[in-house]
Each structure stands twice: as C-alpha cells, then as structure tokens.
Amino acid sequence: MNRVRCLVLNAALGPLDYKVPEGMVVGPGAVVECPLGPRTVIGIVWEAERLAGTEVPAEKLRPLRGVLPVPPLSAALRRLIEWTADYYVASLASVARMALSSGGALKGPATMTEYRLTGGLPERMTPQREAALGALEGEQATIRELAGIAGVSEGVLRGLVNHGALEPVEVDCDRPYPPARPDFVEIALSAQQREAADIFSNAVRKAEFAPFLLDGVTGSGKTETYFEPVAQALRMERQVLVLLPEIALTENFLHRFEERFGAPPVLWHSSLKSTERRRAYRAVSEGSAQVVVGARSALFLPFARLGLIVVDEAHETSFKQEEGVRYNARDVAVMRGHFEQVPVVLASATPALESLQMAESGIYAKIDLPSRYGGAQMPTIETIDLTEEKPPQGMWLAQRLVDGIEARLERGEQSLLFLNRRGYAPLTLCRNCGFRYQCPNCSAWLVEHRFTNRLACHHCGHEAPAPKTCTECGEPDCLVACGPGVERIADEVAERLPQARVFVATSDTLNSPGRAAEFIAAVEAREVDVIVGTQLVTKGFHFPELTLVGVVDADLGLEGGDLRAGERTYQQVAQVAGRAGRGSKPGEVLLQTRHPDAPVIAALAAGDRDAFYSAETEMRREAGAPPFGRWASIIISSEDDAEAREAANRIGAFRPDVAECMILGPAPAPMALLRGRYRYRFLINARRSVQLQQVIRRWLAAIDHPPGVRVAVDIDPYSFV
Ligand code: ADP
Ligand code: ZN
C-alpha cells in the first residue's frame, strides 16, 4: 500500500500519515491537502525516516484529498526548514509555513481582470470622470489600483466601465517578468573591485557552497562589485537572492539594478499585494524569477535553481526576526547556501563581530575593499565634548556643529544630523504634578509627535492626542517635553538657521517605497539642505553633495548597556559617517558626546576600527559572550500578571543542572509589560560545547501551561528587553 508521512501546517500536531489514493503521484516535498477531522489542512510530504511519528495501521489511514499545483519543495529547502526549526527551537510547522508564504500561489494558475481606457467618452462628463480619464492614459490595472492612481473613488471608475470608456482585459496573474540581461551595461570596475568580483564570479561558476565576508568601507562600491557574480549567475540561468535590511533602501537598489541589468528585479516583502505575492512566488518556484530582492522572509522562498545569495548590510540587526520563529536571516542565509551548494556573500562596512570571527577562524573567506571608489576620501571625524562646548539653554546642537551646517549652506552643500529617536521628545511630563505619560500597554514612556500632535508608544503603536491639560492634576498648558527627538532637532535648525530647508527622515515620513523615492529625488535635486534622520538614513544612501554629518548624541546607543551596545554604536556612527563626502568633495563628521574618552568614541574619532574590534573581542571573550559563548533567552508572557509569574516559577522549578551552562531567572523582563502582556525572563549563558537547544527543548517539553501563557525561546538574542 502506498502511504506517506506529512508535515501539516499546524504547530500543535506532529507528523501525520496518509494513504495515497489510486492514481495520485506524490513524492517528498509535494504540497498536499490533508483531511483532519472535518477540515482540510495543507501539508508537505516528508521523508518518513526524518520525521518521527507513530505508525498507524493501514486500515485507519485516511486518503490525501489532493496535490496542490506548485512544484514540490526541494530537498535543500526541506533541510533548511529542519535546520531552522532545530536551531531556533521552533516547530517544523511554523518554519514550513514561512516557505508556503502565498496562499494564492498554491491555488495554481489564474487570471484576473484589469481595465484600460477604450478611447471612448462617457455621455455625461463630470469633473471626476474627466480627471480619471486624464490620469489613466496608458495605465492598465485593477479597478482598485486605478482608483488609487487617479485619486477618485472606485464608483467613479465603475461608472466609466458602464459607459464604455474603460474596458476589462483578462490577464494572466503569473505573466513573466521582463528579463534582466547580464550584459546590458558593462561597468568598468576598479582594480580592487575587479579582483573581488572575479573571486565571487568563480565561486558562482563552481556552484559550490562558499561563504564570503565582503568587508568594504562605505562608498567602496560593494553593490557594483557583487553585481558581477549576479551577472554570472544570470548567464548560467541560475537564480539570485539579494537580502536587504529595510524596504526604504530598496528604491535606490532597484534603480541601480535596472541601470545595470535593463530590468528591475523581483521584489519580495511583507507589504506586497496578494496578487504581487502570488506572481513572485510562482515565478520563483518555476525558476523564471531571475533575481529576487527582499526582506528576510525571502529566505524561505522555494527557488528552483538558486545560484547565489547576497546579504547586503549584513551587520544590520533588522535581519533578526523578533517574533514567531526568532531567526537571524544572516545566519540562515549561510545555511541556505550550504544546503543549496551555492556561494553566499555577506557585504558590510562594519561587519558583526560574529562574522569577523568566522573569517578569522577560516570559515568565511574575507574579501576587502579598503578604499572608496573613484578616489573619494574617507571623511575626517572629530568629537565635540558637550561638557565643554555646551549648546545654548534648551537646545541640543553645539555652536561648532551649527557653524558647520551654516558653512555648508553658504557653499550649497548638504548636511545630515543623525539622532536615533523618532518624534519630538522621548518623554513628556507635567510641570505641575510631575506626572509622566506612560503607555497603558507597555513599560515605556509615550513619545510626543508634534507633526501629528499626538503621544505615541513606539513599542505597541498606542496613540492618543496630546492632552491640553494634565490628565492627572488637571492643570492647563503644563506639559513639558524632555529631551530631543528628530522633530525637535529639526525645529532647532529652523530656528537657528532660518534659511535652511530641513527634511525629517524617519520611518514616519519614509513609510513607503514611493515616499523614499521622493526623498531621494528631493535631496538629489538639492531641494533639501539639512536632513535630520534616524537609523533609517545611516546606510545605503549616496548623496554626493552631502559633506557634513553631525551625530547629535553619540552616547545614546551606549545607554541600556546590553551586550552589543558598543558594537551597535560603532556600526551606527561609522555607517552614518560613511554618508559624508562620497563625491569629489571631502566629508567631515562631528560627534557630539559627553564621553569623548569612552573606547568606542575614541576609536571612531581615531578612525581605528581594528582597535575597536580587538578591544570588543577581548571583552566578549572574557564575558563568555557570543561568538565565544552562547546566549539564549526564554520569555514567558501572559495578559494576566499572576498567571505569567506562576508559569515562570513552574519552569524555574524544573531548571536543569547542566555543567558550563548558567541559567539566570526567572525575573521580570526589563520591559515587564509589552503590548498588554506581562513578561518574565530567563537568560542562559553557556559554553559553546553545551548542546544549548537540546537542553532548552528537554527542559520546556515536560511542562504544560494554561492557554493564555506564551513561552518564547530566543537563541542568539539581539534584544535583551
Ligand atoms: P557602498 O555600498 O560600498 O557604500 P556603493 O555601492 O553605494 O558603495 O558605491 C558608491 C558609489 O560609487 C555609488 O554611486 C556607485 O554607483 C559608485 N560606483 C562604485 N563602483 C563603481 C564603478 N565601478 N563604476 C562606476 N561607479 C561606481
Ligand atoms: Zn505601548
């Protein structure tokens, strides 16, 4: 009899066996419909010997309902799913779900209806109809999309359809993407770029696993360099995956990619429309999507013929997923390269210590680009000691920094002020009674946003209008803003340099690819003199007229003091400094600090990266921190504080006693309340020799909890709140 074992997409269930009905052909990786009680769930046929399950007698097996019309998940992807679940202590089902990330794509080929102008006019013209007819010239899209383009309601367009001015067109949902051409434009590489590019291209040609760390200073042209192995993969008809840390960066990337290859790459991120998702997913699985650029979730797409993986800005902490399966896309990318037998390029100007250590121990090949492209010089970096050069009362910028901006204004050059704090002020309190405005759902202060005149929580999204009178004591007009956010810095620039045109660049203002594109265009057209921005502007952007970078508070990242505070500060400041002087004019960087002697600030000012990294490495070695030891955290949460505490204590009572493995907790997490859930935490620090995942899995497996309790395991955590 023909039976198969299936991984079903339900984390609460183990593997299930089914009968394969007469005439159905399925092999490992096939995506199938499995009967489960009265329902049907999606499952993936798996190698039975790799999934422990209880043998069910043949006569009790139910038959599979069907096979979904998508190619089976490859063995390489199945191994990646197993590895990810195992390493991050997650269920196989929750990881497999990330590989089946488009419900529409699983339904098979489909068509949809789009509309376009016929050239005819409606009998009765209205101003809205006229506007729509003008705006839709040359467009073809769904009614909803056309309504967005024309800025009219869908009803207006339906009226035009009824009058014959718009006509329906049936289109294939999965129509092919325009082809990228490896030799569309030849780019002359510098000697150092050429050397690096050849190494990568040879690795693509060999089609073997080969992890690389591309360590190139800001402005060295890392993108142009890794475009060469991309071209090589295209010539071999192999697919490429490029991971970028933020969608705000993709606009710039798309533009450069299209100039080089004559067509845009295929995009993959969480805000795609479902029709775009299914089209991309199916093209990836059939092998016709040549180059996919995406956020970390693209890592689990079912590539048919992968030939190369690039992780750009590989040090970025946003590659770490902080909910669901808490994986690090940088590390999973390397594992995918391993299972697919393809090279992986991790590109960065400020590599993570973990990546440098992998290079040191010979596991990654380190390829350096030590100088900027086209003879541009690295910027000079100086500190401003705020304890000596005090900004005026109630202000945040030292006079020397303001003078620097003014000099740029006079020369028609641009400045960038970096402060990693959205909004106007990070804390609002009442002058009369001292009340501090706190989020009702989180252990966090509310942040004032003056543009929208609201108080907002940056953790859960809670928002309320800024009150006119104190909600605690009732005193009118008594709220004081404490500390600066980017909006407040922008106000200060406007006050001290009224002629400056200031742009605030944060996730609030650059919240879509379109707005990011507008921002880039405005800066390139020199319609902006001063950019005030958060970490969003620290990387990727290339503005030749930007010659001054001011770091408003270089000490900010060191507060909180978690394991990576020093490294993160170094990376952020070095990256934002890297925005200065990328063209022919030299760049200058001013770091405002209260601790000019702190090792990380001193290393930045001295431009001594090696000194910083070796001091940081020693510190980590002594602390048994990654990459020399391992960390994990377990967060127990519930909407009910007592329930969460009891669950944490119950887990604590079963704490395993393992040599060279230290378990701290349970204790209230630093964010003791987050999004309405009370949180308790264990922190685990272990030697590398300890089988950490196994210890944790065995420990937690034996303990049951009420349904309101969530237990989340975070391996190699980045967040310590
Ligand atoms: P990085 O990512 O290393 O900071 P970029 O890839 O943004 O640097 O490159 C910096 C600038 O130099 C970009 O404008 C890029 O187009 C340009 N550039 C780099 N290499 C070349 C090249 N070989 N030919 C022409 N322009 C180049
Ligand atoms: Zn909140």
Side-chain angles (χ1 to χ4, degrees):
M1 204 224 33
N2 201 354
R3 63 190 291 160
V4 287
R5 185 154 294 170
C6 292
L7 168 61
V8 289
L9 293 193
N10 181 329
L13 296 173
L16 297 175
D17 288 359
Y18 289 93
K19 182 159 73 186
V20 181
E22 204 69 38
M24 184 188 284
V25 187
V26 290
V31 185
V32 291
E33 293 176 300
C34 307
L36 189 71
R39 294 176 301 136
T40 301
V41 293
I42 291 180
I44 304 166
V45 175
W46 219 266
E47 294 90 332
E49 66 278 10
R50 304 186 71 98
L51 278 189
T54 40
E55 199 68 14
V56 180
E59 63 277 13
K60 286 205 172 157
L61 290 183
R62 297 178 68 183
L64 288 175
R65 292 239 159 89
V67 187
L68 296 179
V70 283
L73 301 188
S74 66
L77 182 51
R78 298 201 299 280
R79 299 298 83 82
L80 184 78
I81 292 170
E82 290 168 354
W83 181 86
T84 305
D86 191 53
Y87 189 88
Y88 292 105
V89 193
S91 71
L92 275 171
S94 56
V95 182
R97 197 179 287 282
M98 300 195 291
L100 297 178
S101 44
S102 162
L106 303 181
K107 296 194 183 109
T111 58
M112 62 179 175
T113 310
E114 291 186 339
Y115 292 83
R116 64 181 176 211
L117 295 180
T118 57
L121 294 176
E123 287 150 31
R124 196 170 54 79
M125 193 58 97
T126 66
Q128 283 191 316
R129 285 178 175 177
E130 194 159 357
L133 292 174
L136 297 182
E137 196 65 53
E139 301 284 354
Q140 176 176 316
T142 62
I143 288 285
R144 180 185 300 179
E145 288 158 4
L146 291 179
I149 295 168
V152 300
S153 74
E154 293 181 33
V156 170
L157 298 187
R158 300 225 176 266
L160 288 174
V161 175
N162 292 339
H163 282 84
L166 277 176
E167 66 180 356
V169 197
E170 281 300 292
V171 294
D172 176 6
C173 291
D174 307 324
R175 60 213 175 283
Y177 292 95
R181 308 216 297 272
D183 303 304
F184 181 72
V185 169
E186 285 291 333
I187 292 196
L189 296 182
S190 70
Q192 70 175 18
Q193 288 177 330
R194 170 54 57 200
E195 201 177 320
D198 286 347
I199 293 172
F200 301 143
S201 297
N202 281 332
V204 171
R205 215 171 282 127
K206 277 199 202 144
E208 288 172 359
F209 173 54
F212 294 100
L213 178 59
L214 173 57
D215 185 359
V217 298
T218 54
S220 56
K222 293 185 283 296
T223 317
E224 268 72 15
T225 305
Y226 71 67
F227 274 172
E228 292 309 299
V230 170
Q232 178 57 32
L234 291 178
R235 284 183 207 111
M236 295 165 64
E237 300 194 353
R238 303 277 298 245
Q239 297 168 286
V240 179
L241 168 62
V242 179
L243 291 182
L244 295 180
E246 323 247 4
I247 39 180
L249 293 179
T250 43
E251 207 52 37
N252 173 34
F253 180 89
L254 295 186
H255 182 71
R256 283 166 75 174
F257 187 93
E258 194 165 350
E259 284 193 342
R260 170 70 178 80
F261 295 106
V266 177
L267 271 182
W268 184 268
H269 54 75
S270 57
S271 34
L272 287 187
K273 289 181 299 211
S274 63
T275 50
E276 295 168 324
R277 265 180 114 69
R278 64 155 290 144
R279 184 180 177 201
Y281 188 94
R282 292 189 67 83
V284 167
S285 69
E286 283 155 11
S288 64
Q290 295 163 290
V291 180
V292 176
V293 174
R296 52 179 184 242
S297 59
L299 202 46
F300 292 94
L301 284 171
F303 287 91
R305 285 190 287 279
L306 197 58
L308 169 69
I309 301 174
V310 177
V311 184
D312 205 348
E313 312 285 359
H315 62 280
E316 274 294 318
T317 51
S318 59
F319 282 123
K320 177 69 167 50
Q321 166 123 327
E322 293 293 0
E323 52 197 31
V325 182
R326 291 159 196 249
Y327 65 96
N328 188 324
R330 176 197 70 207
D331 297 340
V332 180
V334 173
M335 289 315 292
R336 179 135 202 197
H338 165 73
F339 291 122
E340 301 272 356
Q341 287 295 305
V342 301
V344 182
V345 177
L346 307 181
S348 175
T350 52
L353 214 79
E354 283 86 344
S355 304
L356 281 173
Q357 192 59 34
M358 294 294 264
E360 192 107 308
S361 44
I363 299 171
Y364 297 173
K366 188 157 159 319
I367 310 293
D368 295 335
L369 297 176
S371 49
R372 284 188 157 179
Y373 175 76
Q377 295 302 302
M378 294 302 285
T380 58
I381 302 184
E382 281 176 37
T383 53
I384 295 179
D385 183 346
L386 289 178
T387 61
E388 300 200 342
E389 297 181 49
K390 290 197 176 72
Q393 183 68 31
M395 303 216 176
W396 314 94
L397 305 177
Q399 192 56 46
R400 179 144 60 103
L401 180 52
V402 175
D403 291 346
I405 301 172
E406 191 167 19
R408 298 319 184 280
L409 280 174
E410 281 162 10
R411 300 206 291 266
E413 297 170 8
Q414 295 163 320
S415 307
L416 165 62
L417 294 175
F418 167 63
L419 177 64
N420 206 16
R421 261 195 198 143
R422 289 156 51 207
Y424 185 83
L427 170 66
T428 302
L429 54 77
C430 170
R431 190 187 296 121
N432 188 45
C433 71
F435 181 72
R436 298 167 162 214
Y437 284 82
Q438 193 175 358
C439 176
N441 312 317
C442 305
S443 324
W445 307 125
L446 291 178
V447 178
E448 181 182 357
H449 285 245
R450 283 228 174 144
F451 288 170
T452 52
N453 198 25
R454 294 173 92 77
L455 297 179
C457 171
H458 288 178
H459 299 278
C460 70
H462 168 86
E463 273 193 9
K468 296 232 179 339
T469 56
C470 175
T471 52
E472 197 62 12
C473 68
E475 187 77 7
D477 299 322
C478 62
L479 300 186
V480 232
C482 300
V486 282
E487 292 178 7
R488 194 170 201 175
I489 298 298
D491 277 4
E492 181 177 334
V493 174
E495 190 179 325
R496 293 170 76 176
L497 299 168
Q499 71 278 35
R501 294 161 303 172
V502 184
F503 189 102
V504 175
T506 68
S507 55
D508 298 311
T509 57
L510 304 185
N511 52 11
S512 71
R515 297 182 74 175
E518 284 169 23
F519 163 67
I520 294 170
V523 178
E524 283 176 349
R526 303 214 211 170
E527 289 158 12
V528 174
D529 301 308
V530 183
I531 304 164
V532 184
T534 56
Q535 50 81 29
L536 207 58
V537 295
T538 57
K539 63 222 155 214
F541 294 111
H542 179 76
F543 298 130
E545 296 301 323
L546 203 163
T547 58
L548 174 68
V549 166
V551 176
V552 176
D553 185 348
D555 311 328
L556 191 59
L558 294 172
E559 286 169 11
D562 74 62
L563 158 73
R564 291 189 177 80
E567 183 184 11
R568 219 174 24 234
T569 297
Y570 186 87
Q571 289 169 334
Q572 258 179 8
V573 175
Q575 289 286 345
V576 72
R579 299 312 111 201
R582 293 168 69 93
S584 53
K585 297 169 187 158
E588 181 184 0
V589 180
L590 295 172
L591 306 182
Q592 297 199 127
T593 173
R594 273 171 212 84
H595 309 284
D597 301 327
V600 41
I601 307 290
L604 282 161
D608 195 347
R609 194 181 94 159
D610 291 347
F612 171 73
Y613 274 117
S614 58
E616 189 73 10
T617 304
E618 271 329 294
M619 198 202 74
R620 296 256 193 114
R621 201 192 300 272
E622 268 162 40
F628 304 101
R630 310 198 45 202
W631 285 98
S633 74
I634 304 175
I635 299 265
I636 297 101
S637 69
S638 164
E639 289 177 11
D640 181 90
D641 191 14
E643 187 178 74
R645 191 172 346 107
E646 277 160 29
N649 287 336
R650 200 156 46 237
I651 292 176
F654 286 91
R655 148 202 332 261
D657 187 8
V658 179
E660 310 206 296
C661 178
M662 184 171 62
I663 300 178
L664 306 170
M671 287 282 284
L673 177 64
L674 181 63
R675 293 183 210 104
R677 300 181 71 86
Y678 293 88
R679 305 164 80 237
Y680 291 81
R681 181 181 73 167
F682 290 91
L683 261 186
I684 304 157
N685 182 209
R687 285 283 182 87
R688 292 207 71 89
S689 54
V690 174
Q691 300 281 322
L692 187 56
Q693 285 87 344
Q694 205 179 50
V695 169
I696 294 175
R697 196 175 286 114
R698 286 200 186 135
W699 174 15
L700 299 180
I703 311 168
D704 284 329
H705 301 290
V709 171
R710 241 184 262 156
V711 178
V713 176
D714 196 352
I715 302 289
D716 309 335
Y718 270 63
S719 161
F720 288 86
V721 299

